[in-house]
Amino acid sequence: MSAQLSPSKDAAPVSPGGWRGLVADWSSDREVFSVSWGKAMMWIFLLSDTFVFSCFLTGYMTVRVSTPAPWPNPSEVFALNIGGVEVPLILIAIMTFVLITSSGTMAMAVNFAYRRDRRRTAALMLATAAFGALFVGMQAFEWTKLIVEEGIRPWGNPMGAAQFGATFFMITGFHGMHVSAGVIYLLIVALRVLRGRVEKSGNYQIVEIAGLYWHFVDLVWVFIFALFYLW
C-alpha cells in the first residue's frame, strides 16, 4: 500500500477552479510579477508615449522622403557663428551632451535612493533638473534663432521644403514639453526626498519611477537627434 502524503504547511494555497477561481484571483488584490502599481502605470504611460513619438517620427520620415522640394541642410540650418566662423551643429552637440549627462546623474540618484542616502539623492535629482532646464533654455535659443534670423515658420521655410518647419517645431516642441514637465516632476520629488517625506514611508521607489520617465525622455532625444540633425 502506498503511503498517503499529507500537504505541506508551507505550500501556497491553490485557488479553486472555474468561475469561482477567476473571481477569487481578481479580488485577491495581488501584485502581478511583484511590480508596484506606480511603476506599472509609468511603464504603461511610457509605452503609450512611445507610440505617439513613433507616429510623429514616422510621419516626418514619410514627408521628407516624399516631398519634391529640397530639404534644408542641417549643417547650415543649425550652425552658429562663433568668432566669424560658422560652426555646424555645435549647439545641438552641447544640448545632447547636457541631456546624456543628466541621464547619468539621474541613475546615480536612483542608486543613492536605494542606499537611503537622502541628501545625495536630492542633490543629484536637483542637478538632473538643472541640466533639463538648461536643455530647454538652449532649445528656446535655437527656436528664436530659426524664427527671428532664419525666418522659418511652421507653415513656411525660405531655406527649402515648407514641411521642414512644421515637422521640426511639432516634434522638438513636443519633446521639449516632456522635458519641461520632467523638470517640474524631478523638483517635486527631490523636495519630498529632501524634507524626509519619502524616508518616513521607507519607500524610495518614487525616485526610480521618476528616473524611468527621465531616461525615456533622453532616449527619445537620441532618435530626434539622429533623424533631424544627422540625416
Side-chain angles (χ1 to χ4, degrees):
M1 295 179 60
S2 61
Q4 186 176 1
L5 298 177
S6 60
S8 173
K9 295 181 179 180
D10 297 331
V14 179
S15 299
W19 288 104
R20 291 181 58 190
L22 180 63
V23 173
D25 286 339
W26 280 89
S27 60
S28 60
D29 193 23
R30 298 178 182 175
E31 288 186 353
V32 181
F33 302 116
S34 299
V35 177
S36 66
W37 280 112
K39 189 183 294 187
M41 291 302 102
M42 178 56 74
W43 277 115
I44 293 174
F45 169 75
L46 296 181
L47 180 61
S48 64
D49 230 18
T50 300
F51 292 143
V52 175
F53 275 108
S54 298
C55 291
F56 282 170
L57 293 175
T58 302
Y60 160 74
M61 290 186 288
T62 303
V63 167
R64 179 166 179 175
V65 171
S66 60
T67 181
W71 202 262
N73 187 352
S75 297
E76 298 176 0
V77 177
F78 302 108
L80 283 182
N81 192 306
I82 301 177
V85 179
E86 292 290 330
V87 182
L89 302 177
I90 181 64
L91 179 63
I92 313 305
I94 297 174
M95 292 170 62
T96 304
F97 175 78
V98 167
L99 209 56
I100 292 176
T101 303
S102 72
S103 187
T105 56
M106 189 66 236
M108 292 171 63
V110 174
N111 185 21
F112 281 112
Y114 280 107
R115 295 182 184 182
R116 301 295 191 268
D117 194 330
R118 176 166 55 91
R119 295 188 180 277
R120 290 184 180 180
T121 300
L124 286 166
M125 292 191 72
L126 291 174
T128 304
F131 281 128
L134 179 61
F135 175 87
V136 174
M138 288 188 291
Q139 190 173 60
F141 173 80
E142 177 192 35
W143 276 36
T144 303
K145 179 179 179 296
L146 292 177
I147 296 172
V148 176
E149 297 182 12
E150 307 294 345
I152 299 175
R153 302 289 188 273
W155 52 85
N157 173 29
M159 305 180 70
Q163 295 90 337
F164 172 80
T167 54
F168 175 79
F169 289 122
M170 179 185 68
I171 295 177
T172 59
F174 192 59
H175 178 264
M177 182 183 69
H178 278 70
V179 177
S180 301
V183 169
I184 298 173
Y185 183 26
L186 290 177
L187 289 175
I188 294 174
V189 176
L191 290 177
R192 288 175 61 88
V193 172
L194 192 59
R195 292 174 180 175
R197 295 184 180 180
V198 177
E199 190 172 359
K200 289 180 182 179
S201 65
N203 185 7
Y204 275 83
Q205 196 173 75
I206 188 173
V207 179
E208 183 182 0
I209 294 173
L212 290 175
Y213 176 87
W214 194 257
H215 293 317
F216 170 79
V217 170
D218 293 352
L219 180 62
V220 170
W221 175 253
V222 172
F223 289 96
I224 295 176
F225 174 77
L227 293 176
F228 268 104
Y229 302 105
L230 299 182
W231 184 12

